[in-house]
Amino acid sequence: MLRQNGFAVQNGHSQNGTYDRMAKQGSSTLAVHAGEQRRKAYHALHTPIVQTATYTFANTQELIDFMESSIWGEGAEREEYGRYGNPTVDSVERKLAKLDNADAAVLYASGMTAVTSLLLSVLPAGSHIIMTDDCYRRTRQFALTFLQRLGIETSVVPMGDYEAIEAAILKRKTRFIISESPTNPYLRVADLERIADIGRRHKVQTLIDSTFATPINQRPLDWGIDYVLHSATKYLGGHNDLLAGVVVGQADRIAALRDARGILGGIPDPHTAFLLERGLKTLALRVEQQNRTALAVARFLEAHPRIERVWYPGLESHPDYATATAQMKGFGGVISFEVAGDLRSTGNFIDRMQIPYIAPSLGGVESLIEQPAIVSYYDKTTEERLALGIKDNLVRFSIGIEDTNDILNDLDQALAGL
Ligand SMILES: *Cc1c(COP(=O)(O)O)cnc(C)c1O
């Protein structure tokens, strides 16, 4: 199976500690080297930041040659204008493609630009998409307001209900099945092989928002998914200092998205691409540390008398533990849990934590903590939030790369006050 070649064998070296001459390069080697030119301008080791809005032509003949190769030929080997492409952006796109075992990647100015540009680029008027619930709130809002206004309907089905996905498919109208895995905030894990199979049988394309997993923990293309999307703002950038998004997939599909990006305009600036490439070099190290700490924290919390429930796919108590174990190499750095408290006392617990910052977002080197009832759903009442499945005592903890023991000690002292 593809996934055996692409994943288990590739990582065979680090897993069993033996030298495997036939193994493909592992994720950390790819994160450092993949996609980069070995010889760069000025013999620089790092990819230069090509900070330019446009590119010059020596004379009219050079411009004519460029036009002929881009219109009728193989495509030109150079850039024309900043909205159509940039060498710093190209370099990080090649690295992102390799990490997800994809042909190609297209980078956007944010995760939401990736979501909106992809859907606007591929969906015709009168079409229909299926989306699983427990997904990023802005993605759902985009579908239910903007796409709705354009005559594109969305069916939202419960996460984990594959019969409901299949039942929602409308013949000749449904174009996309969209899911996240793991999800926010309950870390639900989709059975990717099953979703890919439904898509193939009904000729519907599939998209997974894999932001919470990263290519280190899960590679949906290896399971037959058509498009994978990441908010690179989170783990890929990894330092809470940039916004970006990426879509990876087959070459022809990504080329079409790149053409559409030239019209929609969502390309990031070259400095962001540079920061992302730099952040990616340590992706495997960071994610492995975050996986380790998160599992230790999840087990600690589950055993703690002041904790009512822990949501982490690496715990046997999680509804998707079996799927996660079969499909993921690690379970990621985000844990959600319910403390024995109400809106106010849960906030007081968070305030006693010394290491994490109170902030939205996740996946960076700094631990972040938040109460979804306040940060994402404060405009609703407790009852409305409950109807959406968001309890007032729910806490989302995004583990950073601080020492595991320090995070455990911090939780221990903060919980003692509950
Ligand atoms: C943050 C996030 C997004 C949006 O990404 P931005 O970079 O903030 O625009 C989309 N999906 C998921 C799962 C996210 O966590």
Short mmCIF file of all heavy atoms in Angstrom, two decimals, residues 110-113 115 136 139 180 184 209 211-212 229 231-234 243-245 362, ligand 1:
data_model
loop_
_atom_site.label_atom_id
_atom_site.label_comp_id
_atom_site.label_asym_id
_atom_site.label_seq_id
_atom_site.Cartn_x
_atom_site.Cartn_y
_atom_site.Cartn_z
N SER A 110 -3.01 33.39 4.25
CA SER A 110 -3.49 32.89 5.54
C SER A 110 -4.19 31.56 5.30
O SER A 110 -4.47 31.21 4.14
CB SER A 110 -4.46 33.89 6.19
OG SER A 110 -5.69 33.90 5.49
N GLY A 111 -4.51 30.87 6.38
CA GLY A 111 -5.27 29.62 6.25
C GLY A 111 -6.63 29.89 5.63
O GLY A 111 -7.11 29.12 4.79
N MET A 112 -7.27 30.97 6.05
CA MET A 112 -8.60 31.28 5.50
C MET A 112 -8.52 31.68 4.03
O MET A 112 -9.45 31.39 3.27
CB MET A 112 -9.29 32.37 6.34
CG MET A 112 -9.92 31.86 7.63
SD MET A 112 -10.87 30.32 7.50
CE MET A 112 -12.17 30.78 6.36
N THR A 113 -7.42 32.34 3.62
CA THR A 113 -7.26 32.61 2.18
C THR A 113 -7.16 31.30 1.42
O THR A 113 -7.71 31.18 0.32
CB THR A 113 -6.00 33.46 1.91
OG1 THR A 113 -5.96 34.54 2.82
CG2 THR A 113 -5.99 33.99 0.50
N VAL A 115 -8.57 28.40 2.29
CA VAL A 115 -9.93 27.81 2.27
C VAL A 115 -10.80 28.52 1.23
O VAL A 115 -11.40 27.88 0.35
CB VAL A 115 -10.61 27.93 3.65
CG1 VAL A 115 -12.07 27.51 3.58
CG2 VAL A 115 -9.87 27.11 4.70
N TYR A 136 -13.57 24.33 11.94
CA TYR A 136 -13.15 25.71 12.17
C TYR A 136 -14.32 26.65 11.87
O TYR A 136 -14.92 26.60 10.81
CB TYR A 136 -11.95 26.02 11.28
CG TYR A 136 -11.22 27.27 11.68
CD1 TYR A 136 -10.50 27.35 12.86
CD2 TYR A 136 -11.26 28.39 10.86
CE1 TYR A 136 -9.84 28.50 13.23
CE2 TYR A 136 -10.59 29.54 11.22
CZ TYR A 136 -9.89 29.60 12.40
OH TYR A 136 -9.23 30.74 12.75
N THR A 139 -14.50 28.68 8.58
CA THR A 139 -14.71 27.87 7.38
C THR A 139 -16.20 27.60 7.20
O THR A 139 -16.75 27.74 6.10
CB THR A 139 -13.94 26.52 7.51
OG1 THR A 139 -12.56 26.80 7.71
CG2 THR A 139 -14.11 25.66 6.27
N GLU A 180 -12.10 18.15 8.76
CA GLU A 180 -10.84 18.43 9.44
C GLU A 180 -10.44 17.17 10.19
O GLU A 180 -11.29 16.37 10.54
CB GLU A 180 -11.01 19.59 10.43
CG GLU A 180 -11.20 20.91 9.71
CD GLU A 180 -11.54 22.05 10.65
OE1 GLU A 180 -11.21 21.98 11.84
OE2 GLU A 180 -12.13 23.02 10.15
N ASN A 184 -11.22 20.78 15.90
CA ASN A 184 -11.14 21.77 16.96
C ASN A 184 -12.55 21.95 17.53
O ASN A 184 -13.45 22.24 16.76
CB ASN A 184 -10.65 23.08 16.31
CG ASN A 184 -10.60 24.22 17.27
OD1 ASN A 184 -10.43 24.03 18.47
ND2 ASN A 184 -10.75 25.42 16.75
N ASP A 209 -8.62 19.40 6.09
CA ASP A 209 -7.86 20.44 6.78
C ASP A 209 -7.04 19.71 7.84
O ASP A 209 -7.58 19.22 8.84
CB ASP A 209 -8.81 21.46 7.40
CG ASP A 209 -8.06 22.59 8.12
OD1 ASP A 209 -6.93 22.36 8.57
OD2 ASP A 209 -8.64 23.69 8.26
N THR A 211 -4.44 20.87 9.59
CA THR A 211 -3.68 21.83 10.40
C THR A 211 -3.23 21.24 11.74
O THR A 211 -2.08 21.40 12.14
CB THR A 211 -4.54 23.08 10.67
OG1 THR A 211 -4.89 23.68 9.43
CG2 THR A 211 -3.81 24.08 11.54
N PHE A 212 -4.16 20.57 12.45
CA PHE A 212 -3.84 20.07 13.79
C PHE A 212 -2.86 18.89 13.77
O PHE A 212 -2.25 18.60 14.79
CB PHE A 212 -5.12 19.63 14.53
CG PHE A 212 -5.84 20.76 15.22
CD1 PHE A 212 -6.20 21.91 14.53
CD2 PHE A 212 -6.18 20.68 16.56
CE1 PHE A 212 -6.87 22.96 15.16
CE2 PHE A 212 -6.84 21.72 17.21
CZ PHE A 212 -7.19 22.86 16.50
N LEU A 229 -5.14 20.76 3.21
CA LEU A 229 -4.98 22.18 3.52
C LEU A 229 -4.40 22.33 4.93
O LEU A 229 -4.73 21.53 5.82
CB LEU A 229 -6.36 22.83 3.43
CG LEU A 229 -6.50 24.33 3.64
CD1 LEU A 229 -7.65 24.83 2.76
CD2 LEU A 229 -6.77 24.69 5.09
N SER A 231 -3.46 25.56 7.84
CA SER A 231 -3.13 26.91 8.26
C SER A 231 -1.67 26.86 8.69
O SER A 231 -1.35 26.29 9.73
CB SER A 231 -4.00 27.36 9.43
OG SER A 231 -3.43 28.53 10.01
N ALA A 232 -0.78 27.44 7.86
CA ALA A 232 0.66 27.42 8.17
C ALA A 232 0.99 28.37 9.31
O ALA A 232 2.12 28.37 9.83
CB ALA A 232 1.47 27.77 6.93
N THR A 233 0.00 29.16 9.71
CA THR A 233 0.12 30.04 10.88
C THR A 233 0.41 29.24 12.15
O THR A 233 1.00 29.75 13.09
CB THR A 233 -1.23 30.78 11.08
OG1 THR A 233 -1.64 31.32 9.83
CG2 THR A 233 -1.13 31.87 12.12
N LYS A 234 -0.02 27.99 12.16
CA LYS A 234 0.04 27.17 13.37
C LYS A 234 1.37 26.41 13.42
O LYS A 234 2.39 27.03 13.55
CB LYS A 234 -1.18 26.24 13.41
CG LYS A 234 -2.51 26.96 13.03
CD LYS A 234 -2.93 28.03 14.02
CE LYS A 234 -4.07 28.92 13.54
NZ LYS A 234 -5.28 28.25 13.10
N LEU A 243 1.32 34.70 9.39
CA LEU A 243 0.06 34.11 8.92
C LEU A 243 0.31 33.57 7.52
O LEU A 243 0.86 34.28 6.67
CB LEU A 243 -1.05 35.16 8.84
CG LEU A 243 -1.65 35.62 10.17
CD1 LEU A 243 -2.13 37.05 10.06
CD2 LEU A 243 -2.80 34.72 10.57
N ALA A 244 -0.10 32.32 7.27
CA ALA A 244 0.00 31.75 5.93
C ALA A 244 -0.88 30.51 5.87
O ALA A 244 -1.30 29.99 6.90
CB ALA A 244 1.44 31.39 5.57
N GLY A 245 -1.17 30.07 4.66
CA GLY A 245 -1.94 28.84 4.47
C GLY A 245 -1.42 28.13 3.24
O GLY A 245 -0.75 28.74 2.39
N LEU A 362 -2.63 28.20 17.99
CA LEU A 362 -2.06 26.94 18.48
C LEU A 362 -0.85 26.61 17.63
O LEU A 362 -0.64 27.20 16.58
CB LEU A 362 -3.11 25.82 18.34
CG LEU A 362 -3.61 25.59 16.91
CD1 LEU A 362 -3.13 24.26 16.35
CD2 LEU A 362 -5.12 25.64 16.86
C1 LIG B 1 -6.39 28.64 12.28
C2 LIG B 1 -7.10 27.68 11.44
C3 LIG B 1 -7.60 28.04 10.18
C4 LIG B 1 -7.46 29.44 9.64
O1 LIG B 1 -6.13 29.78 9.43
P1 LIG B 1 -5.58 31.30 9.51
O2 LIG B 1 -4.13 31.12 9.15
O3 LIG B 1 -5.82 31.80 10.88
O4 LIG B 1 -6.33 32.08 8.48
C5 LIG B 1 -8.24 27.07 9.43
N1 LIG B 1 -8.39 25.80 9.89
C6 LIG B 1 -7.94 25.44 11.10
C7 LIG B 1 -8.15 24.03 11.56
C8 LIG B 1 -7.28 26.35 11.91
O5 LIG B 1 -6.83 25.98 13.11
#
